[in-house]
Amino acid sequence: MRRINSLYGRIGLLRRAPEKSTKQSHTLLASLSFSTEGSYGGDGELQQNSSKVKIFDRDLKRIHRDRAAWLSRQKNDSFVDAVAENLLDRLEDCKKSFPTAFCLGGSLGAVKRLLRGRGGIEKLIMMDTSYDMIKSCRDAQEDSLDNSIETSYLVGDEEFLPIKESSVDLIISSLGLHWTNDLPGSMIQCKLALKPDGLFLAAILGGETLKELRIACTLAHMEREGGISPRLSPLAQVRDAGNLLTRAGFSLPGVDVDEYVVKYKSAMDLIEHLRAMGETNALLERNKAAIYDSMFATEDGTIPATFQVIYMTGWREHSSHPQAKRRGSATVSFTDLQKQFGGQS
Amino acid sequence: MVRLNRVLLKDAGNAIDKTLSEILVCPLSKQPLRFCEKTKSLVSDTIGVSFPIKNGIPCLVPKDGKILEEEADASKA
C-alpha cells in the first residue's frame, strides 16, 4: 500500500480524505473504510484544486464494473442501447468524419455494437477502469467477426487520461462520466486529447434520475433510523452541464436532456438492472422495496423508474468555428434588421 | 482453438498496438512511455513508474502502477 501513497507524493497530487461532517459518505458505499487505504498521508498538505473532492470511491466502482461486465454478458440492455443509439445518431448530423475515435467507460459494448460505420471511424480505442469489462468487449469483438474497424483496448482512469494531446478526433462517453470525482478535470483532459475541430460527445445521468428510488430510500430511512443520509449519488443538473462544457473550454457547446421511464416488475428488478449497468451504490433493504412498490406502482403492477440523461456535445476550438463578435463591434442595428425582415407588431 | 492461437501469437509479437503506442502517455505526468522488454510493461521515466500489460491490454490506472525505486528494484518489479 506504500505504493500508492508515494506514487501520488511524487506528483504532488494530494487529496484529502472526505470530511466526516459532510455526510456524503454514502454509508452503504463504506467509502470511509476504503478510502483509508488510499488516504494520501500528509493531512497537512492542502488540496491543489477545490474541485477535487472525493465523493465516489473509484476502487469500489471498478469492482462494480467488473461485476457488471459479468452480469451483462448475455443480454442486451434496451435502455443503455437507446442512449448509445441517440449519441451515435449525432454523428450522422456532422459532415465531418472522425478517423480516430476514443470511447470512455460507461456502456462501451453498446457503443461499439451500435456504431455501424457512422462517423467514418477507422480506428477505435476503448478505455475503461475495469479490466474485466475491457476483456469482455474484446472477446465479444472476436466472436462477432466484425473487424472493419481497427479496435484497441486499454484500461485507464477517466480522471487521469493517458492520451497524448491533440491525438484523437472524437471522444464518446456513454453514461460513464457521472462517476468521476472531478468531472471538470476529466472534461478538460478530454478537450486536450482532442485534435482541433475534434468532437466530444457525452451522455451522463441527470439529477432527476431515479427520483422515485430517492424518495423511497429517504422515507424508509426516516422510518427506521429517524434521520436521513444521501444514498443516491449526487448527479449533475442540466444547468450545470452547460457550465461544465464552457469551463472545460469547448467551443460550440450543446446540451439536451431526455427522460426515459423504464418499467420494472418489482423494485428488486430495478436493482438488478442497476447492478448489471454497474450503477449500484448499495444493497437495497427489503423495507425500501416495499415502500417503493406501494408508492409508485402503476395500474398494471409495474414499477416505473425515471432516468434523466443529459447529452453534452462540444468541439475543440478551430479557426473554422464561428466566434462571437466583440462587444461594440456591431455594424447593423436591430431596427435595421426589423426593417429588413418585416417586423410583426 | 485456432482463434486462441491467433490471439497468443499477436500478443507475443509486439505487446501493444501501433495505434496505442503512438497515442499513449503516462496518465500522471503526460510524458511518453517506454516499453520495457524485460518486464513487459510500460515505463514512465519521468516519475519512475511502470504500468503492467495484461494480455496485450495496457493497464494505465494510476493505482496499478509500480514504483521503480532504483535500477536493482526495476528487475524485481
Side-chain angles (χ1 to χ4, degrees), chain A residues 27-314:
Chain A
T27 46
L28 296 173
L29 254 189
S31 63
L32 284 180
S33 60
F34 266 94
S35 65
T36 46
E37 181 196 73
S39 72
Y40 313 111
D43 278 317
E45 313 264 3
L46 293 173
Q47 285 177 324
Q48 266 203 334
N49 192 349
S50 59
S51 64
K52 291 194 176 163
V53 179
K54 197 161 181 215
I55 303 176
F56 301 116
D57 188 339
R58 301 281 288 165
D59 301 317
L60 187 58
K61 210 67 234 122
R62 268 180 111 172
I63 298 172
H64 282 161
R65 290 192 63 73
D66 285 342
R67 181 176 60 183
W70 222 84
L71 286 174
S72 61
R73 189 174 302 200
Q74 298 311 322
K75 31 191 189 113
N76 295 334
D77 187 339
S78 55
F79 164 62
V80 151
D81 283 356
V83 175
E85 183 66 35
N86 188 322
L87 216 50
L88 292 171
D89 229 3
R90 289 146 200 267
L91 288 177
E92 302 213 331
D93 295 337
C94 304
K95 279 188 268 189
K96 193 174 183 311
S97 69
F98 308 96
T100 320
F102 181 62
C103 186
L104 268 184
S107 44
L108 289 175
V111 171
K112 176 141 204 318
R113 207 178 352 111
L114 298 172
L115 191 51
R116 299 210 189 106
R118 282 181 272 205
I121 296 179
E122 288 155 28
K123 289 195 214 165
L124 181 60
I125 303 164
M126 320 271 290
M127 183 178 103
D128 195 272
T129 26
S130 142
Y131 175 70
D132 289 347
M133 191 64 111
I134 291 282
K135 190 129 184 310
S136 86
C137 276
R138 188 167 78 166
D139 295 340
Q141 188 210 357
E142 281 166 7
D143 286 340
S144 77
L145 304 167
D146 172 26
N147 290 320
S148 47
I149 300 181
E150 187 197 314
T151 321
S152 329
Y153 300 90
L154 80 126
V155 174
D157 196 337
E158 289 97 349
E159 301 183 14
F160 299 100
L161 229 57
I163 305 292
K164 214 190 299 192
E165 263 201 43
S166 299
S167 52
V168 291
D169 296 289
L170 168 66
I171 296 188
I172 305 185
S173 171
S174 171
L175 303 176
L177 291 174
H178 52 266
W179 286 109
T180 49
N181 279 314
D182 183 16
L183 187 50
S186 305
M187 289 174 70
I188 292 177
Q189 296 196 48
C190 286
K191 186 202 83 156
L192 288 173
L194 279 177
K195 288 189 191 151
D197 212 21
L199 174 62
F200 171 72
L201 273 180
I204 56 173
L205 290 181
E208 293 282 309
T209 303
L210 297 176
K211 55 177 188 263
E212 299 92 348
L213 186 58
R214 211 185 283 258
I215 295 173
C217 283
T218 315
L219 278 180
H221 211 214
M222 263 201 325
E223 279 180 11
R224 286 194 113 207
E225 291 162 46
I228 49 172
S229 76
R231 295 299 169 102
L232 264 73
S233 55
L235 294 165
Q237 300 295 323
V238 182
R239 58 175 179 265
D240 297 331
N243 288 340
L244 281 170
L245 284 169
T246 30
R247 180 172 166 186
F250 288 109
S251 84
L252 306 176
V255 176
D256 56 301
V257 193
D258 231 341
E259 260 193 26
Y260 299 87
V261 179
V262 185
K263 298 215 159 111
Y264 298 93
K265 288 200 220 67
S266 78
M268 297 314 287
D269 283 337
L270 166 61
I271 300 305
E272 278 307 311
H273 187 199
L274 290 177
R275 276 208 193 111
M277 288 198 288
E279 300 282 341
T280 38
N281 209 4
L283 314 154
L284 187 71
E285 296 155 24
R286 228 167 328 142
N287 203 3
K288 293 192 196 94
I291 293 192
Y292 199 128
D293 287 340
S294 61
M295 276 187 78
F296 297 108
T298 59
E299 296 95 34
D300 56 357
T302 56
I303 316 291
T306 321
F307 290 89
Q308 186 193 46
V309 183
I310 302 179
Y311 296 96
M312 305 193 285
T313 57

Side-chain angles (χ1 to χ4, degrees), chain A residues 2-3 6-8 10-11 59 62 123 131 135 138 143 150 152-153 155 160-164 189, chain B residues 3 7 17 19-20 22-25 27 30 47 49 55 57-65 67 69:
Chain A
R2 165 191 140 278
R3 165 204 305 181
S6 40
L7 178 63
Y8 281 103
R10 277 171 191 242
I11 313 302
D59 301 317
R62 268 180 111 172
K123 289 195 214 165
Y131 175 70
K135 190 129 184 310
R138 188 167 78 166
D143 286 340
E150 187 197 314
S152 329
Y153 300 90
V155 174
F160 299 100
L161 229 57
I163 305 292
K164 214 190 299 192
Q189 296 196 48
Chain B
R3 192 191 299 148
V7 169
D17 268 330
T19 323
L20 282 184
E22 284 163 16
I23 291 188
L24 290 182
V25 292
K30 305 289 189 229
I47 49 174
V49 176
N55 275 338
I57 301 177
C59 297
L60 296 171
V61 183
K63 279 217 151 41
D64 287 347
I67 300 184
E69 287 297 340

